[in-house]
Amino acid sequence: MFRSLLIASLAVLGAAPVAAAPPAQTVLRPDQVAFRDLYKELIETNTTLSSGSCTLAAERLAVRFKAAGYTDREMEVVVPPGQPKQGALVATLAGTDPRLKPILLLAHIDVVEANRADWERDPFTLVEENGFFYARGAIDDKAMAAAFADNMIRYKREGFKPKRSLRLALTCGEETPDNFNGVEWMIANRPDLLDAEFALNEGANGQIGPDGKKVFLGIQAGEKVYQDFTLRITNPGGHSSRPVKDNAIVRLSHGLARIGAHDFPIALNEATRNHYAQMAAIEGGETGAAMKALAANPADTAAADFLARSPGRNSMMRTTCVPTQVKAGHAPNALPQRAEANVNCRILPGEKVEDVRQTLVRVINDPGISVETVGRPSPVSTPPPLNARIMGPATKVAAAMWPGVPIVPAMATGATDGRFLLAAGTPTYGLSGMFLPPGDSGAHGLNERIGVEALYEGRDFLYEVVKLYARN
């Protein structure tokens, strides 16, 4: 996931990591054996920006699609001009009603860099150990990419005839959008490839409790907007033996301290309000009471202040801005002539980037400090609706697979490729059916992993739920 793995449904619990007991060894079904082989090939195809190739991964998957019966008209390896290693695979299983827009299955196949010397295992070799799959991309995002691809192959071989077409887009550049982003490029140059009634994407998993039981399944509706701002102040400087009060570093520090003390207002949307309402019953106690109170009345400052003690919960209910980098001065014995800082903001859906910039200017309250938007402003969108069309099939399949486990909506506090689709008008939801224990999955970091059972269950869940979506 872009910048960091921010699965809101996991972050808000704040639970301590636990060691999950390895599941008993089971014999894989033939279809699971085929899936594991596809997953292994995708994992072991290096797709980092520095030394890998998404195009190679797309081409290898295309061989499997062709063997399953997809024709060249139904499948395309899309290589953008000037980006020979940033290719994507797009495949379509035609529906019986051409008047209906397709359902888009979106996943990125590029991964974050991984240094072999830092890892306990080779990050580009799939290792199954103690009930987990270890590898770079094991969860982010080759788990969903492999599940979607394998299920599309299964649908073709089984002769499944959906009413609504299914379109798979395995894209590149989600992790390095400052270099290139495949979804953004397709929207601008090949919008036909992503045209859909709605899209399923990464962004939400399920939660496993400390006792190993499934607590809830997350569904993500909407995500915050990522935006950096540069704060800068210049000064004539001078000799450090003759200091003055007008010091660039001191003035910038005062401005940053004001940002650190500022809280943006509480603003709940459909996903976050439902999240707190449902999590109230799951959490219970003082935390559950605060969640229930805030869901009923977002103006309840006592409840908001209590929940804001958790960074994950605080980020879900308001825009946040935080200083992340500082650069100042040119010599240890000279007054600074220049000081600048990066402030990273995660903006609630629907809020304008320029409005946030103006808020920072007001909060800093120093006309000598400029506030500049870094790069092109990120696209702004509103959260998609959580209506019966979306929730019905997901709830039905989840109830059959995991009786009594509720589906809890959430908003991602990070950002995925879904931000481009949402801004273009395509409702995009995070839904995986993959359950994770509390703690760090290693995504973007060392020893990235996903539970073996979680991966197989998620694949089965997506297989069934996509079928239901495609029949309506």
Side-chain angles (χ1 to χ4, degrees):
M1 185 183 293
F2 171 57
R3 304 289 180 181
S4 62
L5 185 65
L6 289 167
I7 303 172
S9 57
L10 303 182
V12 295
L13 288 183
V18 297
Q25 187 67 36
T26 57
V27 177
L28 297 181
R29 307 187 309 256
D31 63 285
Q32 290 175 321
V33 173
F35 167 63
R36 190 187 190 283
D37 182 66
L38 184 153
Y39 180 59
K40 175 180 172 66
E41 181 177 55
L42 185 57
I43 287 288
E44 296 184 354
T45 303
N46 186 335
T47 52
T48 60
L49 178 63
S50 65
S51 58
S53 172
C54 289
T55 302
L56 177 59
E59 290 171 343
R60 287 176 171 174
L61 288 172
V63 172
R64 293 175 178 268
F65 273 71
K66 185 163 289 190
Y70 283 88
T71 67
D72 289 339
R73 293 185 62 184
E74 298 172 313
M75 174 187 64
E76 181 181 357
V77 175
V78 183
V79 183
Q83 301 287 346
K85 295 185 178 181
Q86 303 277 352
L89 176 68
V90 179
T92 302
L93 183 66
T96 58
D97 190 342
R99 298 170 299 176
L100 300 178
K101 277 191 171 186
I103 295 168
L104 178 64
L105 310 178
L106 178 69
H108 66 88
I109 54 177
D110 62 309
V111 296
V112 170
E113 304 290 338
N115 183 2
R116 174 65 184 94
D118 297 331
W119 282 56
E120 294 178 23
R121 309 159 189 85
D122 183 350
F124 299 106
T125 298
L126 183 66
V127 175
E128 183 176 348
E129 184 178 299
N130 295 326
F132 288 90
F133 285 123
Y134 289 85
R136 172 57 85 222
I139 185 170
D140 188 14
D141 184 29
K142 290 183 175 179
M144 284 193 70
F148 279 151
D150 184 70
N151 285 340
M152 287 285 284
I153 289 172
R154 290 174 72 190
Y155 298 147
K156 188 72 168 180
R157 286 181 168 156
E158 293 168 0
F160 174 54
K161 300 294 184 183
K163 182 177 181 181
R164 191 181 296 272
S165 294
L166 293 175
R167 179 167 294 147
L168 171 70
L170 302 180
T171 61
C172 196
E174 196 268 0
E175 302 290 9
T176 54
D178 292 339
N179 175 74
F180 172 82
N181 181 274
V183 171
E184 186 177 28
W185 182 87
M186 286 184 189
I187 289 173
N189 298 277
R190 294 286 305 277
D192 57 299
L193 297 178
L194 301 180
D195 184 39
E197 182 200 14
F198 67 90
L200 297 182
N201 182 35
E202 64 174 326
N205 292 313
Q207 173 72 67
I208 298 175
D211 58 359
K213 295 181 179 179
K214 294 178 174 66
V215 179
F216 65 88
L217 174 63
I219 181 169
Q220 178 225 317
E223 51 188 64
K224 298 180 84 173
V225 172
Y226 178 103
Q227 186 62 56
D228 286 314
F229 296 92
T230 297
L231 277 57
R232 184 178 295 110
I233 184 171
T234 58
N235 196 286
H239 202 288
S240 63
S241 65
R242 302 175 64 183
V244 296
K245 294 297 184 182
D246 185 15
N247 182 292
I249 292 177
V250 172
R251 286 179 62 182
L252 181 65
S253 299
H254 288 163
L256 295 177
R258 294 186 188 106
I259 290 174
H262 177 73
D263 285 328
F264 283 79
I266 302 296
L268 301 186
N269 54 45
E270 180 186 15
T272 52
R273 187 187 295 271
N274 286 339
H275 176 86
Y276 285 125
Q278 293 190 44
M279 287 301 298
I282 295 173
E283 288 276 309
E286 190 175 4
T287 299
M291 288 180 168
K292 183 178 181 180
L294 189 68
N297 177 21
D300 188 328
T301 56
D305 289 345
F306 178 86
L307 294 175
R309 299 174 190 175
S310 162
R313 296 184 183 113
N314 181 62
S315 184
M316 192 184 292
M317 61 190 182
R318 56 164 46 105
T319 289
T320 60
C321 291
V322 59
T324 55
Q325 291 179 311
V326 177
K327 182 172 62 176
H330 61 283
N333 58 351
L335 300 179
Q337 298 173 357
R338 184 185 187 94
E340 63 182 53
N342 186 82
V343 171
N344 176 246
C345 295
R346 306 299 176 113
I347 304 170
L348 286 176
E351 294 186 9
K352 297 179 180 178
V353 172
E354 176 58 20
D355 288 347
V356 174
R357 191 191 73 83
Q358 290 289 350
T359 298
L360 292 177
V361 171
R362 177 179 57 79
V363 170
I364 292 167
N365 193 29
D366 186 337
I369 300 176
S370 64
V371 181
E372 302 170 8
T373 303
V374 177
R376 290 175 297 163
S378 297
V380 176
S381 62
T382 56
L386 287 166
N387 51 30
R389 173 77 174 93
I390 299 300
M391 295 300 295
T395 301
K396 182 176 181 179
V397 176
M401 292 185 66
W402 311 294
V405 177
I407 295 184
V408 177
M411 177 190 68
T413 56
T416 73
D417 276 339
R419 69 193 188 280
F420 299 112
L421 289 172
L422 285 165
T426 301
T428 304
Y429 303 89
L431 184 65
S432 73
M434 300 176 190
F435 287 79
L436 306 181
D440 184 12
S441 67
H444 287 211
L446 298 178
N447 307 312
E448 183 178 347
R449 62 199 174 276
I450 185 173
V452 174
E453 180 183 1
L455 181 64
Y456 290 136
E457 282 191 338
R459 168 183 173 261
D460 287 346
F461 173 81
L462 291 172
Y463 173 83
E464 297 294 345
V465 79
V466 169
K467 269 191 166 184
L468 290 183
Y469 284 136
R471 286 178 173 142
N472 298 315

